[in-house]
Amino acid sequence: MIKIIAKLAPQLVPKDQHQRLRMRRTLMATGSGLVLTAVVLLSMALDLVQMPMAYFFLLYTMIWLGNLCFPLMISYDINLLFKDPSLTIPQLIWHTFTNTISIYLVPELQNVFLMYYLLVVLFGAFRMQKRGFFIVGGFILLCYTTVMLVHQLSGAGAEIKEQSLISLFFIFMLVGVSIIGTEISSLRWALKKRNAEMNEVMKQAKEQAITDDLTGLYNRRHLMAILRHQQALAYRGEYVFSLCFVDLDHFKQVNDRYGHKAGDEVLQTFADIARNCVREVDFVARLGGEEFVLVLVQTPLEGACLVAERLRLSMEQARLDILAPGHRVTASIGVTQYRPKESIEETMHRADIAVYSAKNRGRNQLVSDHELEHY
């Protein structure tokens, strides 16, 4: 049915996958309402409905305005304003009400319409929890009892004994179907919870596969994947990116003097500073030990040098309480820009040479490969 609507009125079909699923379920319920209406119309043609045509037309116009209200709410995302976007309980209560009208209009077919009540309850297994089944089941009993009393008072109902047996059997079936629906719903919610837990585990496993455990930055393996992707973008033209290789100065002395715990804290501090110095579109990775790489997207060499200098100053000024007063950890940085059609290894090699040049010049400074060419 969604495919038909997509052809006739594509603007009414949601683009979101979850909304499309809700629309499909709602159209299933609307389709069952169409069958219900068809049965009543056939009954009217057979003179089983005692109602003037004008009143009948007005009544079913109102019913179908209600039936169409739910799919339209999903089409325009109005359902997302509610706690349950599927609008399960409101839909079931509405279809229960319309079925009750059918029983009132055609008392001779009440046994047929009673089965529709059970279908309504089973439909609730899609989304309802135990509380919802109590609400819908209670409303069904209220509607059914009311219409039966009205029939008895008007003389249109069956004999009391026959009606009592039918009612008892219907209540038994309603309770049984509600229990089955509750079990199905419970299994569905348990499966949904299990899937959510599995997705979270998969997400954590993926993050662990691409991140460094200590700093939370990307690891070397994922860095290479990032660089391959950047290279592919650069091949298309009009795209530049730069690398900043960072080496923390005299880091071995920190480990020897203060212990590895202090060294770990220094690495974590640098990781936090690096994240704050780049944009969300940029990447920061740990190569290993005290070596790090910044991948600056759509950034030429001049812009990369500004970022590197900001990073160097921030690290120089960082307070590291775990170290002795006045002890600062600085960084030497090599900066390079990717050149068209060269290999990633060549770009990384130039950045590596620039880092060693910064160290040879006295550390705590940055050197670009452009400077090396003119040195």
Side-chain angles (χ1 to χ4, degrees), residues 14-157:
K15 299 294 188 294
D16 179 74
Q17 181 180 357
H18 297 290
Q19 285 288 79
R20 289 176 71 93
L21 179 59
R22 295 178 185 119
M23 174 67 82
R24 185 166 65 86
R25 292 173 179 169
T26 299
L27 290 177
M28 288 171 58
T30 305
S32 68
L34 183 62
V35 173
L36 201 65
T37 302
V39 172
V40 176
L41 286 172
L42 181 60
S43 301
M44 191 170 192
L46 297 174
D47 293 328
L48 296 177
V49 177
Q50 304 303 317
M51 176 180 279
M53 179 62 73
Y55 290 146
F56 181 86
F57 179 78
L58 178 61
L59 175 62
Y60 270 83
T61 298
M62 294 176 62
I63 287 175
W64 272 97
L65 286 175
N67 285 342
L68 296 175
C69 176
F70 296 107
L72 287 174
M73 289 176 71
I74 296 174
S75 292
Y76 294 101
D77 294 336
I78 299 173
N79 62 310
L80 299 178
L81 300 174
F82 296 87
K83 185 177 180 180
D84 176 19
S86 297
L87 303 172
T88 307
I89 293 180
Q91 288 196 65
L92 298 190
I93 286 178
W94 175 253
H95 287 290
T96 296
F97 175 70
T98 57
N99 187 53
T100 304
I101 291 176
S102 302
I103 296 177
Y104 172 75
L105 293 176
V106 196
E108 293 84 355
L109 296 180
Q110 69 162 306
N111 293 340
V112 174
F113 294 128
L114 287 181
M115 292 188 291
Y116 188 83
Y117 278 141
L118 303 180
L119 181 63
V120 167
V121 175
L122 280 178
F123 189 82
F126 282 123
R127 288 288 303 175
M128 281 199 306
Q129 295 182 340
K130 188 176 293 185
R131 178 174 173 271
F133 281 98
F134 281 123
I135 293 173
V136 173
F139 186 71
I140 288 174
L141 286 177
L142 176 63
C143 289
Y144 175 66
T145 303
T146 300
V147 75
M148 289 301 101
L149 287 175
V150 171
H151 281 166
Q152 289 299 323
L153 292 175
S154 64

Side-chain angles (χ1 to χ4, degrees), residues 251-260 262 323-325 327:
F251 183 74
K252 186 174 184 301
Q253 295 178 10
V254 174
N255 279 333
D256 293 342
R257 182 175 176 183
Y258 301 101
H260 289 284
L323 306 183
H327 191 145

Side-chain angles (χ1 to χ4, degrees), residues 58-329:
L58 178 61
L59 175 62
Y60 270 83
T61 298
M62 294 176 62
I63 287 175
W64 272 97
L65 286 175
N67 285 342
L68 296 175
C69 176
F70 296 107
L72 287 174
M73 289 176 71
I74 296 174
S75 292
Y76 294 101
D77 294 336
I78 299 173
N79 62 310
L80 299 178
L81 300 174
F82 296 87
K83 185 177 180 180
D84 176 19
S86 297
L87 303 172
T88 307
I89 293 180
Q91 288 196 65
L92 298 190
I93 286 178
W94 175 253
H95 287 290
T96 296
F97 175 70
T98 57
N99 187 53
T100 304
I101 291 176
S102 302
I103 296 177
Y104 172 75
L105 293 176
V106 196
E108 293 84 355
L109 296 180
Q110 69 162 306
N111 293 340
V112 174
F113 294 128
L114 287 181
M115 292 188 291
Y116 188 83
Y117 278 141
L118 303 180
L119 181 63
V120 167
V121 175
L122 280 178
F123 189 82
F126 282 123
R127 288 288 303 175
M128 281 199 306
Q129 295 182 340
K130 188 176 293 185
R131 178 174 173 271
F133 281 98
F134 281 123
I135 293 173
V136 173
F139 186 71
I140 288 174
L141 286 177
L142 176 63
C143 289
Y144 175 66
T145 303
T146 300
V147 75
M148 289 301 101
L149 287 175
V150 171
H151 281 166
Q152 289 299 323
L153 292 175
S154 64
E159 294 184 4
I160 294 295
K161 292 182 179 179
E162 181 183 348
Q163 190 62 60
S164 297
L165 287 174
I166 293 173
S167 299
L168 286 174
F169 183 74
F170 171 67
I171 291 172
F172 170 77
M173 291 297 296
L174 180 63
V175 171
V177 172
S178 296
I179 292 174
I180 294 172
T182 303
E183 289 299 314
I184 294 173
S185 182
S186 297
L187 290 173
R188 184 180 178 278
W189 282 100
L191 181 61
K192 184 177 180 180
K193 182 179 178 182
R194 180 71 60 84
N195 287 339
E197 292 173 351
M198 289 182 63
N199 288 336
E200 184 63 27
V201 170
M202 292 295 292
K203 181 181 177 182
Q204 292 176 1
K206 183 178 179 181
E207 288 178 355
Q208 290 174 359
I210 66 175
T211 57
D212 173 62
D213 291 337
L214 178 62
T215 61
L217 301 176
Y218 291 121
N219 58 25
R220 185 188 187 98
R221 177 183 298 176
H222 191 60
L223 168 67
M224 296 309 297
I226 292 170
L227 292 176
R228 301 295 180 199
H229 179 65
Q230 294 296 307
Q231 183 185 39
L233 293 175
Y235 276 160
R236 300 175 186 175
E238 301 298 325
Y239 187 91
V240 297
F241 68 95
S242 297
L243 300 184
C244 298
F245 270 36
V246 184
D247 197 306
L248 299 184
D249 299 325
H250 304 297
F251 183 74
K252 186 174 184 301
Q253 295 178 10
V254 174
N255 279 333
D256 293 342
R257 182 175 176 183
Y258 301 101
H260 289 284
K261 182 180 178 181
D264 290 348
E265 187 168 319
V266 170
L267 295 175
Q268 290 167 343
T269 300
F270 174 81
D272 292 337
I273 292 173
R275 288 191 194 95
N276 292 328
C277 286
V278 299
R279 303 161 300 174
E280 288 188 3
V281 295
D282 298 323
F283 304 92
V284 185
R286 183 186 180 195
L287 273 179
E290 67 275 21
E291 297 178 334
F292 300 86
V293 178
L294 277 61
V295 182
L296 305 179
V297 174
Q298 283 287 48
T299 306
L301 186 65
E302 295 78 9
C305 288
L306 294 176
V307 175
E309 179 61 16
R310 184 166 64 245
L311 174 62
R312 186 194 66 79
L313 286 173
S314 298
M315 191 61 196
E316 182 182 33
Q317 297 167 5
R319 290 187 56 184
L320 298 165
D321 296 333
I322 199 167
L323 306 183
H327 191 145
R328 295 286 186 265
V329 177

